[in-house]
Amino acid sequence: MLRIVLPALALLGGATLLPTAPATAAPACVGTPGGGKVKLEVAATNLRNANGEVAFTVYPDDSSRFLKGGSKLARARVKAAAPTTRACFWLAPGHYALATYHDENGDRKFNRTAFTIKEGFGFSNDAPTTLGLPSFQATRFPVPAGGGSIAIRTRYSR
């Protein structure tokens, strides 16, 4: 398969966009095709188990809406499959940010305390989270006119 690494993404942690291939066993996509929309396939990798589900959340190209309640553009919740869980979206070409979390107990909440994150999570571009949440700019990535795919590494703090 032809592999395309966009220079800006390579500098931000190695996120890779791949050309979209015909789906054989892809999950149902969120959104509807047509109207200039293209398919974005997303993979949450490094899941430690197949418990619960994985939530994939797409944010628009607007830093004021990133990670804000009620500001998502689209969300898919998919039964977890270890080590990789996949989802897809029909989106207009452009720029987006993506966040995932492995909802191991299936309560549809990102379980955390003031000191501990209890479930796995990840961001587009594998944006760093060492000193808190990543910036919108660190997670922003392009969806080209031909569609594509992106992998997001799932991280666990415990």
Side-chain angles (χ1 to χ4, degrees):
M1 174 186 262
L2 174 65
R3 188 175 193 125
I4 301 170
V5 178
L6 300 175
L9 294 177
L11 293 173
L12 291 172
T16 304
L17 283 174
L18 302 170
T20 302
T24 53
C29 290
V30 173
T32 55
K37 293 183 180 177
V38 297
K39 187 188 286 187
L40 173 67
E41 295 179 345
V42 183
T45 65
N46 295 14
L47 271 69
R48 65 180 171 195
N49 60 53
N51 298 341
E53 64 186 17
V54 176
F56 297 84
T57 306
V58 178
Y59 293 92
D61 194 14
D62 179 349
S63 62
S64 70
R65 293 178 61 183
F66 181 57
L67 299 177
K68 304 285 190 282
S71 293
K72 69 184 177 295
L73 186 62
R75 176 174 290 146
R77 293 183 183 274
V78 179
K79 175 158 179 22
T84 302
T85 301
R86 300 178 191 286
C88 66
F89 298 89
W90 288 103
L91 301 169
H95 287 84
Y96 299 91
L98 217 145
T100 66
Y101 77 94
H102 181 193
D103 185 11
E104 288 182 273
N105 63 5
D107 67 355
R108 295 193 167 205
K109 295 177 185 172
F110 182 55
N111 300 133
R112 62 192 183 278
T113 67
F115 304 105
T116 307
I117 296 174
K118 297 182 176 186
E119 296 180 305
F121 63 93
F123 295 95
S124 42
N125 298 331
D126 282 330
T129 58
T130 51
L131 298 173
L133 295 172
S135 70
F136 173 75
Q137 282 304 118
T139 62
R140 186 176 184 259
F141 69 97
V143 174
S149 63
I150 188 169
I152 298 175
R153 181 175 49 93
T154 305
R155 301 177 205 158
Y156 297 89
S157 62
R158 60 173 177 91

